[in-house]
Amino acid sequence: MKTSISNLIFGIIIILFVKSANSQDIMSKYGTDSAQCVRNLSLYTEFYKQKNYKDAYEPWKKAYAICPKITKNLFVHGPTLVKYKIKKEKNPELKEKLIDTLLMIYDNRIIYYPKHEGLALGRKGNDLFKFRTDKYNEAYELIKKSIEIRGEKSEPMVICQFMQTTVLKFKQDSFPKENVVENYSKSISILEKKLAKATKDKNKEKMKNGIANVEELFSKSGAADCEALINLFTTKFEKSPEDIELLKKIITLLDKTECTDSDLFLKTSEQLNKLEPSAFSAHNIARMYLKRADYNNSSIYYKQAIELEEDSLNLAKCCYELATLTHAKGGQPELARSYAYKSINYNPNYGYSYILIGKIYAADAQNCGENDFEHAAVYWVAVDKFIRAKNVDPSIAEEANSEIATYSQYFPDKEMAFFHGHNEGGTYTVGCWINETTKIRFK
């Protein structure tokens, strides 16, 4: 039955070809034995569709030998069939010959289909490294050239192998750290762009797995240090300060490798925020300057973040941090309190802002009032804020209780209060800029 079908297919193909091509074209595509070409092509194709690689191999081999120009499928399916044979072969010598055959398929694919060069080189490099790991340098060069040709069209498996051979070269051949970093950056960039364009969940998962694999290889390579990153990207940044993609790439890499204390990280972050202002970037820059105790610049970026931010919880956090900065800078307790109250307006349950107000009051106690009693009375309103903090946010009760215990020691004593005409349980208004009413208590 199969022979009859093959003969029928062969007959139809020959008839159609006679009508559409001259004898020279037929000879070119069908080789010297067109009948054997078509029969073996038909047989292997049917077996291949059934995933019967064992029976597909021999007819594929004959068709490949007789008429390699007949269809690109001979080069598309060939590696699968040969790798199946490699897996099953027990004889080391025969296995090596099969590997040679596999690699030759990729070379011939380039000869017969020059436009497939990038794809064929990538797959050849991938399989060369898979079956002959000691050839990692040769595999690296093949894959590198493939990626140069295909760019964002490069396959995830090829990109991962590119990173794997890169790391091996670094460990075995004194490959420069900067080259490892650059190859990592290139690999991640391609995968992230492919992920952004992917529409099917299956493809998205492939890209995510590829990114995870490349990141793991890089993180364990020994080349992922701040010095290498800074050496590589400082020059690139200086040459192309307006390149938004480059800026994002630098910031991401420095962040992932915990190089956020570097000047380069700060400079690139500021430049990106200049080109693409956002609450997120402004907030991060503000924190960087705060960490450096550069309160003026930090304050500028906090104000920008607050201006651009739309989320109330993030606004509460930004205002709280600006209040903390203003308090640390000193000299403006009333302004620091106003930022803390803004934080509470955005998030009434943000207990840390109440704790901060209490600390601001306590820190300025000696400047508020004209005598010891009035100075000590400030601690009443400070403790009021600590109590309020744990009431709105029970999760910080331990910290609030610690502050209460610390500052309750500075309350006026009974004798001092009586001397100034005040009784326990009464009310008292703390003056100066604080101007808050509280309950009289003794230490």
Side-chain angles (χ1 to χ4, degrees), residues 416-429:
M416 181 186 289
F418 281 165
F419 179 79
H420 289 277
H422 298 287
N423 298 311
E424 187 173 14
T427 58
Y428 178 83
T429 298

Side-chain angles (χ1 to χ4, degrees), residues 334-353:
E334 194 169 1
L335 180 61
R337 180 180 66 173
S338 72
Y339 289 135
Y341 271 124
K342 281 184 179 180
S343 170
I344 293 167
N345 288 338
Y346 289 119
N347 181 6
N349 297 320
Y350 203 67
Y352 286 112
S353 291

Side-chain angles (χ1 to χ4, degrees), residues 31-48:
T32 56
D33 193 336
S34 57
Q36 284 297 318
C37 172
V38 173
R39 284 195 180 97
N40 283 292
L41 181 65
S42 175
L43 278 173
Y44 114 74
T45 301
E46 288 303 315
F47 286 131
Y48 191 90

